[in-house]
């Protein structure tokens, strides 16, 4: 019978879980609503319910070795403790691994969701076969994970890899982290919407002007059709992202930078601008070596990264 692990991506809205074999094949998957609650035990109950569903589905295919979880949180991976989870405040300070291990009677490993995505892409996605890679996720914010010499970089406090908070504009827009001008404020999906609103009066012919409930996808679609405002917004996205990536290249000398997340749909509109900044700002040889590639695993990156950690 084959070895199988359970892997979960615990989000603020959805709890996604899968049973995964050692080759990274997803044998069964399920999705549950993440409880909107102030009680950690209710979230643990939802995890247990999803795990039981997966266990029943694959019981005849193999034995369950461990459970891996990716969480949108600052955490201590070594001790399995969630320190701060902005979208799941019920888990602040929660001893996640020990509690879930008691419920499931399985070894449990816990990882930050951005780190888990980086591990997944390095294992089976766009960074496979590479010892030194960086994964950048352009979503509502900008997330990141760094793999050096085949190992995820966590730092002494477990907070390494906060790529979204590289400062690219010292007097720029305020950021939720307390700083200003972070790349998250210029290259995320939410930044695309903000920049569009800030610039729309300069482009009276844009199809985006005064559009209600504007989304990053609206801006992307307008840019693909040649809208000048949208093209300027994505120029800025690429400009600021390129500054941040040039810094990472100079400091870490990666082989590959994997870029994913919903805002990466605008790849063709921003990537040349990012490459231009890298060529201007990074050391020549490391800049030429570092390949910029699109992520391949989509929403499964975090689950597969958690699975890899569980197998390890």
């Amino acid at each position: 019978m084959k070895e199988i692990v359970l892997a979960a991506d615990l989000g603020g809205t959805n709890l996604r879980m899968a049973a995964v074999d050692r080759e990274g094949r997803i044998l069964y998957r399920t999705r549950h609503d993440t409880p909107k609650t102030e009680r950690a035990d209710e979230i643990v109950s939802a995890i247990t319910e999803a795990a039981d569903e997966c266990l029943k589905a694959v019981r005849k295919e193999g034995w369950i070795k461990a459970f891996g979880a990716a969480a949108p949180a600052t955490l201590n991976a070594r001790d399995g403790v969630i320190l701060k989870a902005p979208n799941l405040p019920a888990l602040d300070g929660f001893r996640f691994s020990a509690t879930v291990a008691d419920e499931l009677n399985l070894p449990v490993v816990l990882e930050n969701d951005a780190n888990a995505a980086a591990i997944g892409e390095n294992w089976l996605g766009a960074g496979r076969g590479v010892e030194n890679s960086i994964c950048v996720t352009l979503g509502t914010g900008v997330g990141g994970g760094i793999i050096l010499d085949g190992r995820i970089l966590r730092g002494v406090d477990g907070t390494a890899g906060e790529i979204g908070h590289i400062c690219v504009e010292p007097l720029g827009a305020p950021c939720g982290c307390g700083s200003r001008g972070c790349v998250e404020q210029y290259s995320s999906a939410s930044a695309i919407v903000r920049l569009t609103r800030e610039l729309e009066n300069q482009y009276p012919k844009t199809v985006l002007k005064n559009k209600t409930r504007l989304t990053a996808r609206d801006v992307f679609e307008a840019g693909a059709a040649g809208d000048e405002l949208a093209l300027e917004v994505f120029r800025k996205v690429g400009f600021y992202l390129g500054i941040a990536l040039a810094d990472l290249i100079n400091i870490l000398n990666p082989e590959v930078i994997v870029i994913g997340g919903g805002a990466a749909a605008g790849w063709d509109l921003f990537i040349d601008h990012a490459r231009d900044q890298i060529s201007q700002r990074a050391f020549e040889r490391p800049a030429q070596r570092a390949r910029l590639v699109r992520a391949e695993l989509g929403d499964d990156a975090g689950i597969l990264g958690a699975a890899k950690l569980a197998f390890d």
Side-chain angles (χ1 to χ4, degrees):
M1 298 181 74
K2 66 174 68 175
E3 284 185 337
I4 300 171
V5 297
L6 300 183
D9 190 344
L10 179 59
T13 302
N14 295 308
L15 163 63
R16 299 185 304 113
M17 191 176 297
V20 184
D21 70 13
R22 188 168 281 279
E23 285 69 49
R25 290 187 291 261
I26 294 177
L27 306 176
Y28 182 83
R29 68 169 79 227
T30 185
R31 181 191 297 263
H32 292 239
D33 292 336
T34 303
K36 305 295 184 185
T37 178
E38 297 179 358
R39 295 176 51 184
D41 63 324
E42 293 183 7
I43 296 175
V44 173
S45 294
I47 291 170
T48 303
E49 181 182 346
D52 287 343
E53 181 182 338
C54 289
L55 286 167
K56 291 175 183 177
V58 300
R59 180 174 291 142
K60 296 180 180 179
E61 298 191 48
W63 63 280
I64 306 299
K65 177 179 180 177
F67 174 80
T74 303
L75 51 84
N76 181 327
R78 182 188 65 243
D79 297 333
V81 177
I82 292 177
L83 303 176
K84 186 71 173 177
N87 295 321
L88 295 167
L91 298 181
D92 288 355
F94 185 60
R95 299 188 65 81
F96 181 93
S97 293
T99 304
V100 175
D102 286 344
E103 291 291 324
L104 299 182
N105 195 28
L106 288 171
V108 173
V109 62
L110 175 68
E111 186 54 270
N112 166 269
D113 57 351
N115 282 351
I119 293 166
E121 288 288 346
N122 186 254
W123 181 30
L124 294 169
R128 59 189 176 276
V130 168
E131 290 287 301
N132 298 277
S133 64
I134 298 171
C135 184
V136 182
T137 304
L138 308 179
T140 304
V142 173
I146 298 168
I147 294 177
L148 297 179
D149 298 328
R151 301 182 65 181
I152 192 72
L153 179 66
R154 294 191 177 93
V156 66
D157 294 312
T159 62
E162 288 288 349
I163 290 168
H165 301 288
I166 295 174
C167 181
V168 293
E169 188 65 81
L171 300 178
C175 183
C177 72
S179 184
R180 302 181 70 91
C182 297
V183 69
E184 181 167 294
Q185 298 304 312
Y186 295 93
S187 299
S188 63
S190 55
I192 289 169
V193 173
R194 178 180 61 80
L195 290 168
T196 302
R197 290 302 191 207
E198 289 180 356
L199 296 172
E200 64 182 358
N201 288 335
Q202 300 176 32
Y203 296 85
K205 295 182 180 179
T206 179
V207 299
L208 299 169
K209 189 171 178 64
N210 300 321
K211 184 177 178 65
T212 58
R213 297 185 179 180
L214 181 70
T215 67
R217 175 162 290 279
D218 293 330
V219 184
F220 162 66
E221 291 175 350
D227 184 272
E228 291 187 1
L229 169 58
L231 292 175
E232 174 60 13
V233 168
F234 277 102
R235 185 196 68 80
K236 287 181 176 289
V237 168
F239 174 84
Y240 288 110
L241 180 63
I243 293 174
L245 297 184
D247 289 344
L248 291 168
I249 289 168
N250 283 344
I251 295 167
L252 299 172
N253 191 200
E255 298 165 76
V256 170
I257 299 176
V258 179
I259 301 175
W267 177 275
D268 291 337
L269 304 179
F270 69 73
I271 198 62
D272 287 343
H273 301 296
R275 288 192 173 113
D276 184 53
Q277 291 305 306
I278 290 170
S279 68
Q280 292 183 42
R281 299 172 185 274
F283 294 129
E284 183 177 4
R285 184 172 177 80
Q288 291 174 349
R289 177 189 293 277
R291 294 183 292 116
L292 305 188
V293 299
R294 293 188 69 169
E296 296 179 359
L297 300 180
D299 289 342
D300 286 338
I303 278 182
L304 291 172
K308 179 67 163 60
L309 288 167
F311 276 119
D312 290 345

